[in-house]
Amino acid sequence: MIRPHATIAELPAADWDALAGDAPMLRHAFLDALEQSGCVGGDSGWQPSHLALWRDGTLRAAMPLYIKQHSYGEYVFDWAWARAYTEHGLSYYPKLVGAVPFTPLPGPRLLARDDADRLALIRGALELADQGGMSSLHLLFGDDADLAACDAAGMTRREQVQFHWQRQPGWHDFDDFLDSLSRDKRRKIRQERRKVTEAGVRVRRKLGRQIGADDWAFFMRCYDSTYREHRSTPYLNLDFFLRAHAAQPDAWVMALAYRDDAPIAAALNLAGPTRLYGRYWGAQWDAGGWVPGLHFELCYYQGIEHALANGLDTVEGGAQGEHKLARGFSPVMTHSAHWLAHPAFADAVERFLDRERRLVGAYHDELNAHLPFRVEQDGT
């Protein structure tokens, strides 16, 4: 039996986590913290409708699923589709979205032990969207197994590019990583790090239970100011961060910048067994937070150092950002899948996505031709 659930609390945490694997943002506690803090649910425009496949009273497969009243916080942009619906007198919302809210991190969204259950889940989601009068169904940042199920269910793929740092054989510390770069990229990174030090800034990484209440309060001010600087409203609140940290303390890594022993900037990451997921950054400009290169130091170089020191293979830089390429990050394709109920719009979107995939593929190839790593003839 497949049926939706209005809160994650209706689903057994141990069973959910056994299906979800080790990615911290897919854990039951992370999703529950989003709901308990009010970041989703209520009037947020994210209404939980988590899909569960039950067999003999046991949770066999599940999908984080939301009824959406807008397209904020998804990082796979369909605003043009919504405008087209409106221009033709149609309503694009509500729609159904399988995703981790506010989290553009690739990973499984159809949490199942086999392909048959994944296919059953996505077909169940399609049926829910159709019967519920939704305009569409979207599965965001899925993995290969998810996408295979979506293909089999007749959904259309969309592709984007992110930038991930990936450890290579022989890299044991930051100097090993730097030695792999071309001369000009290596010099640029050293200059950026030196400017931060010469500005009198000291950086400290705090892990897990080292992160205290004062650190969270300061980080929240930074996070909030970043959104305000961009004339936007923060998606998350302090209650969420405190709940999520208490539930998974070892999953959090915070890099803090200090000047004269006072914090001026912070970056927050989530950590899994093999990956570091870069998430949020902010600075207190009125407290001396404007320092050239500080964003790169906290968000990239501290993350790389942490990965190298702790045996992690990958640092995911989040959505967008060509500037990451020059700092040792490589282009990686990410995928989503889409179904639209309206036949004419479904056909138009499919043709658009076919053209877009070709363009994104060419862009990915072009980026790979400009990787920052030195080649043999570099001579360094």
Side-chain angles (χ1 to χ4, degrees):
M1 177 179 62
I2 297 178
R3 61 187 177 94
H5 293 262
T7 70
I8 194 74
E10 294 180 7
L11 300 170
D15 292 347
W16 178 285
D17 289 345
L19 295 166
D22 54 27
M25 67 282 186
L26 279 168
R27 308 289 283 181
H28 190 280
F30 186 95
L31 299 173
D32 187 55
L34 288 171
E35 296 181 17
Q36 293 296 326
S37 63
C39 295
V40 303
D43 60 358
S44 68
W46 291 80
Q47 185 59 47
S49 187
H50 306 301
L51 207 59
L53 188 159
W54 298 91
R55 190 177 295 125
D56 298 326
T58 301
L59 183 67
R60 303 297 299 177
M63 178 185 186
L65 192 62
Y66 299 86
I67 300 170
K68 288 296 303 296
Q69 302 293 341
H70 53 63
S71 292
Y72 292 104
E74 297 175 16
Y75 300 94
V76 177
F77 303 111
D78 61 351
W79 295 104
W81 304 356
R83 284 196 301 272
Y85 266 63
T86 300
E87 290 167 1
H88 286 79
L90 301 172
S91 178
Y92 190 65
Y93 306 107
K95 62 178 184 176
L96 207 54
V97 177
V100 179
F102 325 118
T103 307
L105 305 180
R109 301 295 182 260
L110 303 175
L111 312 181
R113 292 185 175 88
D114 58 49
D115 293 340
D117 284 350
R118 287 187 195 91
L119 183 56
L121 269 180
I122 198 62
R123 284 177 172 166
L126 286 166
E127 183 177 354
L128 183 66
D130 186 43
Q131 292 182 351
M134 309 290 171
S135 74
S136 49
L137 170 68
H138 311 264
L139 185 144
L140 309 183
F141 298 103
D143 65 10
D144 290 344
D146 291 346
L147 272 295
C150 291
D151 289 345
M155 299 177 71
T156 303
R157 290 198 188 198
R158 190 174 195 182
E159 295 179 341
Q160 294 178 288
V161 174
Q162 289 187 355
F163 296 87
H164 297 178
W165 177 90
Q166 296 169 318
R167 180 200 288 266
Q168 300 300 314
W171 291 1
H172 303 292
D173 56 28
F174 201 85
D175 285 337
D176 290 336
F177 159 64
L178 283 181
D179 287 344
S180 73
L181 301 177
S182 63
R183 182 187 295 111
D184 62 323
K185 299 299 189 294
R186 185 166 59 244
R187 182 169 56 246
K188 182 178 181 65
I189 290 175
R190 285 176 172 153
Q191 288 174 344
E192 287 175 344
R193 304 199 82 182
R194 185 166 58 249
K195 286 179 181 177
V196 172
T197 302
E198 290 174 350
V201 174
R202 174 177 59 88
V203 177
R204 180 185 175 190
R205 289 195 305 274
K206 292 190 176 183
L207 317 179
R209 293 172 176 82
Q210 295 174 343
I211 306 172
D214 290 345
D215 299 319
W216 283 114
F218 174 74
F219 165 76
M220 193 64 206
R221 293 198 299 274
C222 293
Y223 170 75
D224 184 79
S225 67
T226 298
Y227 276 83
R228 303 299 179 190
E229 285 286 326
H230 292 87
R231 296 180 173 85
S232 186
T233 302
Y235 294 128
L236 303 173
N237 55 36
L238 181 58
D239 186 35
F240 161 74
F241 287 114
L242 294 176
R243 287 176 181 273
H245 179 239
Q248 296 186 87
D250 295 333
W252 300 90
V253 180
M254 188 182 293
L256 290 153
Y258 298 85
R259 180 183 263 163
D260 298 327
D261 295 324
I264 59 171
L268 187 64
N269 306 273
L270 277 163
T274 63
R275 291 175 177 262
L276 188 71
Y277 305 92
R279 293 308 300 123
Y280 304 107
W281 129 276
Q284 295 295 289
W285 310 116
D286 57 355
W290 169 244
V291 176
L294 184 56
H295 170 262
F296 303 134
E297 177 65 36
L298 289 187
C299 296
Y300 307 142
Y301 307 144
Q302 288 295 317
I304 291 171
E305 282 195 343
H306 178 81
L308 288 163
N310 291 275
L312 305 184
D313 297 326
T314 305
V315 178
E316 295 192 12
Q320 306 169 332
E322 288 184 1
H323 57 278
K324 298 167 188 170
L325 190 70
R327 293 166 178 87
F329 289 70
S330 300
V332 173
M333 299 291 281
T334 63
H335 308 273
S336 57
H338 308 268
W339 169 86
L340 280 73
H342 193 287
F345 273 99
D347 181 64
V349 166
E350 185 169 3
R351 286 185 277 112
F352 164 75
L353 291 180
D354 183 59
R355 294 192 300 271
E356 185 186 60
R357 282 193 300 270
R358 292 197 294 270
L359 292 172
V360 171
Y363 173 61
H364 180 262
D365 292 343
E366 181 181 358
L367 290 170
N368 271 318
H370 294 86
L371 293 176
F373 303 103
R374 62 185 175 124
V375 293
E376 187 174 343
Q377 57 265 36
D378 184 35
T380 60

